[in-house]
């Protein structure tokens, strides 16, 4: 199909969609006006997945550069060029502004700003982030900035084992201090860590994310070194202590003048009991405690969930009284990533294993459910389950003292065959946003919603074989050309023209017309 006929067909589809949005009769309608005016709708990226330019202007390697160059990442791909955001941020901010995006989430690359992990600031890195921050800020778009999205400077991994060592606390604090001092006057929301629960599980238990450490039952073929029995817990503990110290720094030194807020991001997935048995019900609660309670419980109540202490025993580090008080309440908001749901069954027989790890300590089996069929392990294609998000938000409200929440990532991955007329993605986004509205009407304090991702980028799980972007990036083209998908028009219309979105069946029925 030529460019102009493609454009025509796109316009046609768009017109059809708008027609359906205005005249649909099924489902539930909502519009931007149903959300408070200070609620923000955004989209996001992260440094290693988006920027590229890994060797440019003084940036040094992070653990993700090492991991991908060793060929250990899925599909053997890497973020060397990625979406080339380092060179194209101006164009991208223009797209955000044209689209009517209200907020943008991105992360800072520690090894671009402080290439040696501490000490000398890289002036070109500082310039780059100042330019990015200014560009976004000047468009009136709110900045949600993540300090750490998985990309530890390799030098700190080599020097003392990175997150395994308490020395990380001071180094991270120094890095965070530079970020607050240099950019904080324009940042509304700081997020200390992105998905630290996945970071500890995937990086130190299973070993499929950087730095790729693991041991029995996952080694020795998968990882050269590691200890799945203990390291995930140690890493999470050091992350919590670091987080608390950085929040203390922000509150004591910057918050009053800069007026921003600070919080931590957590990956969430809703779990349903596989059967109606009491064992599966209890297993589901256990799985949630291990997945989100691991971080949420200390942040809200100052300590780990009881079940984690019981099951992990002495392998779970403990907080001193002083640390416990520092961790408790160290957030202004909770930032959640949420994509899908799974089923949980009891697997108490795991207690027979002689060597246990974070995953085995849950004594559960988690199954993705896809198209009505059970699949062992995590789903490889995302299951659309907006009720799962509603239940997750209500679970947090009921069990964690109703904190303010941002949905910082939610999105729909399509394979390399992703199409510009991405009606499946529109369907997914519209029903999940509908769930956010339902949750708010039920009293959950949701403050914002972000689509993952703004543009297609390097996906840590699937390389370039899975695209989540509102904008397509042509990865075969040196220019990394951007093209809006139908979902970009859809989101823009929702934000700017305040059209009604037809939730559930409305869009699904619409698909029949395409
Ligand atoms: C949705 O909005 C359309 C157009 O305003 C209206 O005709 C329809 O009845 C609404 N549907 C629902 C379920 O409210
Ligand atoms: C992991 O660490 C624990 C506690 O130090 C130790 O008992 C165990 O042998 C270690 N396992 C491996 C595989 O190194
Ligand atoms: C646990 O193990 C026992 C003995 O091997 C087996 O009979 C039982 O079915 C297992 N239970 C579950 C829930 O897998
Ligand atoms: C769902 O499962 C049915 C029966 O196995 C199959 O025919 C159909 O193609 C599947 N649909 C999708 C979208 O995978």
């Amino acid at each position: 199909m030529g460019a102009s006929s493609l454009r025509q067909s796109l316009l046609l589809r768009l017109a059809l969609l708008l027609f359906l949005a205005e005249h649909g009769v099924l489902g539930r309608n909502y519009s931007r006006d149903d959300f408070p005016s200070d609620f923000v709708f955004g989209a996001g990226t992260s440094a290693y997945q988006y920027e590229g330019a890994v060797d440019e202007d003084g940036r040094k390697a992070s653990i993700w550069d090492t991991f991908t160059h060793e060929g250990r990442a899925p599909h053997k791909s890497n973020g060397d060029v990625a979406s080339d955001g380092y060179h194209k941020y101006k164009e991208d901010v223009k797209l955000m502004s044209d689209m009517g995006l209200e907020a943008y989430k991105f992360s800072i690359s520690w090894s671009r700003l402080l290439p040696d992990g501490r000490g000398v600031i890289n002036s070109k890195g500082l310039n780059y982030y100042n330019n990015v921050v200014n560009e976004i800020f000047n468009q009136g778009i709110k900045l949600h900035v993540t300090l750490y999205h998985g990309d530890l400077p390799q030098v700190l991994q080599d020097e003392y084992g990175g997150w395994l060592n308490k020395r990380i606390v001071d180094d991270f604090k120094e890095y965070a201090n530079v970020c607050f001092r240099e950019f904080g006057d324009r940042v509304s929301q700081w997020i200390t860590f992105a998905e630290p629960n996945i970071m500890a599980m995937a990086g130190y238990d299973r070993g499929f994310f950087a730095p790729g450490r693991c041991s029995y039952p996952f080694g020795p073929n998968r990882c050269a070194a590691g200890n799945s029995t203990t390291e995930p817990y140690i890493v999470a503990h050091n992350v919590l202590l670091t987080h608390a110290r950085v929040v203390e720094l922000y509150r004591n030194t910057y918050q009053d003048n800069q007026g921003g807020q600070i919080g931590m991001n957590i990956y969430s997935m809703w779990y349903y009991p596989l059967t109606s048995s009491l064992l599966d019900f209890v297993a589901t609660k256990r799985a949630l405690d291990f997945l989100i309670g691991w971080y949420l419980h200390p942040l809200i109540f100052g300590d780990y969930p009881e079940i984690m202490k019981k099951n992990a025993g002495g392998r779970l580090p403990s907080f001193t009284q002083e640390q416990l008080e520092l961790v408790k309440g160290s957030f202004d908001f909770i930032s959640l990533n949420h994509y899908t749901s799974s089923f949980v069954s009891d697997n108490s027989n795991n207690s027979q294993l002689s060597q246990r790890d974070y995953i085995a300590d849950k004594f559960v089996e988690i199954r993705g459910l896809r198209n009505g069929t059970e699949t062992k392990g995590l789903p490889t294609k995302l299951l659309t389950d907006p009720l799962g998000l509603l239940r997750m938000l209500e679970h947090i409200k009921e069990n964690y003292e109703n904190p303010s929440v941002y949905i910082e990532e939610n999105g729909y991955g399509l394979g390399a065959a992703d199409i510009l007329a991405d009606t499946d993605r529109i369907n997914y986004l519209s029903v999940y946003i509908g769930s956010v509205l339902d949750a708010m009407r039920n009293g959950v304090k949701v403050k914002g919603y972000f689509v993952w991702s703004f543009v297609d980028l390097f996906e840590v799980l699937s390389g370039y074989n899975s695209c989540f972007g509102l904008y397509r990036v042509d990865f075969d083209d040196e220019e990394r050309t951007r093209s809006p998908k139908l979902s970009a028009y859809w989101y823009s219309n929702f934000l700017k023209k305040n059209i009604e979105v037809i939730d559930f069946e409305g869009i699904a029925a619409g698909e029949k017309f395409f």
Side-chain angles (χ1 to χ4, degrees):
M1 209 188 292
S4 72
S5 61
L6 183 67
R7 189 177 153 77
Q8 265 186 346
S9 105
L10 198 64
L11 287 173
L12 178 71
R13 282 152 200 256
L14 184 62
L16 265 175
L17 194 75
L18 290 177
F19 172 84
L20 286 165
E22 277 163 17
H23 303 280
V25 286
L26 296 165
R28 175 168 51 92
N29 299 350
Y30 64 82
S31 70
R32 175 65 184 89
D33 271 354
D34 288 307
F35 294 83
S37 58
D38 62 354
F39 187 96
V40 291
F41 281 98
T45 63
S46 92
Y48 183 70
Q49 298 174 270
Y50 166 74
E51 288 177 4
V54 293
D55 287 330
E56 265 178 71
D57 292 344
R59 180 190 181 277
K60 289 190 182 167
S62 76
I63 55 175
W64 266 97
D65 294 278
T66 309
F67 189 66
T68 53
H69 285 186
E70 284 173 354
R72 298 177 65 195
H75 306 286
K76 314 281 179 226
S77 49
N78 61 56
D80 285 4
V81 181
S83 323
D84 199 21
Y86 190 71
H87 299 111
K88 296 184 76 90
Y89 70 91
K90 270 193 188 170
E91 182 186 324
D92 285 343
V93 176
K94 171 101 173 46
L95 295 177
M96 291 172 208
S97 168
D98 289 350
M99 169 185 251
L101 210 65
E102 298 164 0
Y104 175 56
K105 175 193 95 143
F106 68 98
S107 77
I108 293 174
S109 157
W110 185 348
S111 60
R112 195 184 290 289
L113 195 59
L114 294 170
D116 298 318
R118 66 174 88 87
V120 180
I121 297 174
N122 174 21
S123 62
K124 288 182 172 166
L126 182 64
N127 271 346
Y128 169 68
Y129 287 115
N130 255 322
N131 290 340
V132 170
V133 166
N134 282 336
E135 203 74 21
I136 299 164
F137 184 77
N138 291 337
Q139 294 298 333
I141 296 169
K142 291 258 187 284
L143 286 96
H144 283 224
V145 183
T146 304
L147 292 171
Y148 188 83
H149 200 114
D151 46 356
L152 182 78
Q154 181 65 42
V155 63
L156 301 184
Q157 186 73 33
D158 296 340
E159 187 182 333
Y160 54 73
W163 293 107
L164 288 167
N165 194 314
K166 284 205 166 37
R167 287 174 62 187
I168 195 79
V169 179
D170 286 337
D171 283 338
F172 190 87
K173 213 177 131 182
E174 178 183 332
Y175 158 64
N177 188 49
V178 173
C179 295
F180 296 150
R181 188 183 69 216
E182 300 294 335
F183 316 122
D185 56 336
R186 288 149 290 165
V187 173
S188 62
Q189 255 70 29
W190 287 105
I191 296 139
T192 53
F193 290 90
E195 301 188 351
N197 47 350
I198 298 299
M199 164 188 159
M201 182 278 286
Y204 297 84
D205 189 346
R206 305 270 306 269
F208 62 84
F209 279 6
R213 293 178 61 85
C214 64
S215 67
Y216 175 90
F218 306 111
N221 294 332
R222 188 185 290 184
C223 306
N227 188 335
S228 299
T229 302
T230 54
E231 288 186 3
Y233 295 117
I234 295 168
V235 164
H237 197 70
N238 288 336
V239 165
L240 277 162
L241 294 178
T242 306
H243 164 85
R245 291 278 304 281
V246 163
V247 171
E248 180 188 48
L249 166 72
Y250 183 66
R251 286 181 167 169
N252 288 347
T253 313
Y254 296 102
Q255 192 161 36
D256 285 351
N257 293 331
Q258 299 184 339
Q261 292 193 323
I262 190 161
M264 180 191 268
N265 175 259
I266 299 168
Y267 175 86
S268 71
M269 176 187 279
W270 185 246
Y271 292 135
Y272 298 97
L274 185 66
T275 72
S276 57
S277 77
L278 182 61
L279 275 179
D280 284 356
F281 179 80
V282 175
T284 302
K285 168 87 172 72
R286 208 158 57 228
L288 284 169
D289 278 346
F290 269 82
L291 181 70
I292 63 166
W294 195 6
Y295 287 90
L296 267 182
H297 209 278
L299 290 177
I300 312 281
F301 303 111
D303 204 358
Y304 293 113
E306 285 304 318
I307 188 69
M308 290 190 76
K309 293 196 212 171
K310 177 164 176 270
N311 289 10
R315 291 175 290 119
L316 186 70
S318 52
F319 295 107
T320 64
Q321 189 60 31
E322 191 199 350
Q323 290 170 340
L324 188 148
E325 278 160 21
L326 195 65
V327 169
K328 184 176 171 182
S330 60
F331 65 93
D332 299 318
F333 60 88
I334 299 298
S335 159
L336 280 192
N337 292 354
H338 188 94
Y339 289 90
T340 190
S341 309
S342 286
F343 284 79
V344 169
S345 56
D346 179 74
N347 190 9
S348 296
N349 280 6
N350 255 357
S351 57
Q352 311 301 323
L353 284 180
S354 56
Q355 285 208 56
R356 297 209 310 252
D357 62 300
Y358 163 76
I359 292 168
D361 284 342
K362 300 179 190 182
F363 305 147
V364 301
E365 191 157 327
I366 295 176
R367 306 149 187 260
L369 181 94
R370 191 160 69 235
N371 191 17
T373 57
E374 287 164 30
T375 317
K376 202 175 164 177
L378 294 175
T380 52
K381 243 179 112 180
L382 297 177
L383 168 79
T384 302
D385 177 41
L387 274 185
L389 175 57
L390 176 60
R391 288 181 171 147
M392 175 56 73
L393 287 168
E394 288 178 339
H395 174 77
I396 287 173
K397 175 188 162 223
E398 299 300 328
N399 293 283
Y400 297 103
E401 302 187 339
N402 201 12
S404 293
V405 176
Y406 285 89
I407 302 300
E408 211 86 46
E409 285 186 17
N410 174 243
Y412 189 78
L414 287 163
D418 193 7
I419 46 171
L420 289 179
D422 56 344
T423 50
D424 285 353
R425 181 172 289 114
I426 294 171
N427 180 39
Y428 176 98
L429 297 176
S430 70
V431 296
Y432 272 85
I433 293 173
S435 269
V436 171
L437 187 59
D438 287 344
M440 292 169 74
R441 286 174 173 162
N442 291 350
V444 185
K445 297 196 293 198
V446 193
K447 303 292 181 188
Y449 169 91
F450 290 69
V451 175
W452 180 264
S453 50
F454 181 61
V455 294
D456 289 341
L457 37 69
F458 169 74
E459 281 297 334
V460 285
L461 268 179
S462 44
Y464 300 100
N465 290 349
S466 180
C467 302
F468 283 73
L470 296 168
Y471 282 83
R472 170 192 275 175
V473 172
D474 184 350
F475 293 107
D476 296 326
D477 173 3
E478 248 179 59
E479 298 294 318
R480 296 293 191 273
T481 308
R482 277 76 164 129
S483 320
K485 300 178 193 175
L486 196 54
S487 55
Y489 291 116
W490 172 84
Y491 202 39
S492 178
N493 274 313
F494 168 65
L495 294 176
K496 290 206 297 205
K497 297 186 184 160
N498 207 28
I499 60 159
E500 287 196 316
V501 168
I502 312 296
D503 202 347
F504 293 98
E505 297 88 343
I507 295 284
E511 281 175 338
K512 294 192 185 110
F513 291 88
F514 286 85

